[in-house]
Amino acid sequence: MSILRRGDEKFHYSDGSHKWIAPDPDYDQEVWDEQVRQHKHGHLRNVHSQVRVQRLV
């Protein structure tokens, strides 16, 4: 499970799924896609770091 940080709300719907559609029709969809990919990568970093800590303890 990943940790939601301040500012993550803009990337999530209320059910926790990710918003792949840009929030504004004038927003560049390709830029939004990359921001969501980076955001999801941050979730993965959090999950992997927690697993390593659990193994060391």
Side-chain angles (χ1 to χ4, degrees):
M1 171 178 268
S2 62
I3 298 168
L4 291 179
R5 296 174 302 230
R6 183 178 303 216
D8 284 353
E9 314 77 45
K10 70 181 180 180
F11 296 111
H12 292 266
Y13 291 108
S14 60
D15 68 355
S17 62
H18 287 94
K19 295 180 180 179
W20 285 101
I21 305 299
D24 183 329
D26 294 329
Y27 202 94
D28 186 334
Q29 184 64 48
E30 288 183 27
V31 171
W32 180 255
D33 290 344
E34 182 58 30
Q35 289 176 332
V36 174
R37 278 190 207 97
Q38 289 178 18
H39 167 77
K40 287 186 71 168
H41 185 70
H43 283 307
L44 294 174
R45 278 194 311 260
N46 287 337
V47 169
H48 292 305
S49 66
Q50 289 173 1
V51 169
R52 269 188 254 126
V53 169
Q54 290 174 356
R55 288 181 187 160
L56 293 174
V57 173

